[in-house]
Amino acid sequence: MRKVLSVLIATVALTACASFHELSNDVSAYSLWRADRKPATYAFERLPSQEANAQQQQLLEDAAHRAMEQAGFTLSKDPKAADVSVTLGARVSLNEPSPFDSPYWWRGGLYAHRYYYGHYGRPFYRTGFGFHGGWPYDSPTYEREIGLLILDRKSGQPMYEARVTNDGYSSSIHSLLGAMFEAGLKDFPNGGAAPHRVVTQINS
């Protein structure tokens, strides 16, 4: 019995450890990439506003390299000779509480259990601490988002666009950028406007 219990504990520990290194993302992608076109060379391109914050933009580009290589692209030694240009963006937004979280709308109470619906109708569960007539206390959550746009360098035509989001209790995004860019290019060159779930590994 003790041996079986030890095996179960080890299995749970390994599962928990694996979940800490996985990131669940919602991905929307739009593709005009031709089926007969092979990925070739790429170069990053910055908007004027991004160039003004070059250090932050460099962090995004460093994080996206691996995802671009996995999609079949090679970084061009000469940016002007690259086959495509890639523009990146990222932001973190605080998820503001809804007025419908008030106990005036729902029956609340001390340690009242509530179901919330997140982005794209994903339900998630919280235990709120609150009293009738007051606002329940919940830890703030953040929406972390990255955007990626691939353009044909000669014509300037957009060829592939991806938006990746996930929610969490931390506003930190730097350690997640690589996994988020991989999620955005996971199905390249196929697109899918409807948000779908993509799980990627966090490379620490």
Side-chain angles (χ1 to χ4, degrees), residues 43-58:
F44 291 115
E45 187 169 307
R46 299 177 183 177
L47 300 173
S49 59
Q50 295 174 329
E51 194 61 55
N53 197 351
Q55 185 176 2
Q56 180 176 336
Q57 200 62 23
Q58 188 63 51

Side-chain angles (χ1 to χ4, degrees), residues 80-123:
K80 295 182 180 179
D83 184 50
V84 299
S85 62
V86 182
T87 302
L88 309 173
R91 67 178 179 181
V92 178
S93 305
L94 175 66
N95 286 327
E96 298 290 347
S98 167
F100 296 105
D101 291 344
S102 168
Y104 285 113
W105 288 94
W106 312 111
R107 289 186 177 181
L110 188 63
Y111 294 103
H113 300 298
R114 299 177 180 87
Y115 283 94
Y116 293 75
Y117 276 81
H119 297 283
Y120 314 122
R122 301 195 316 271

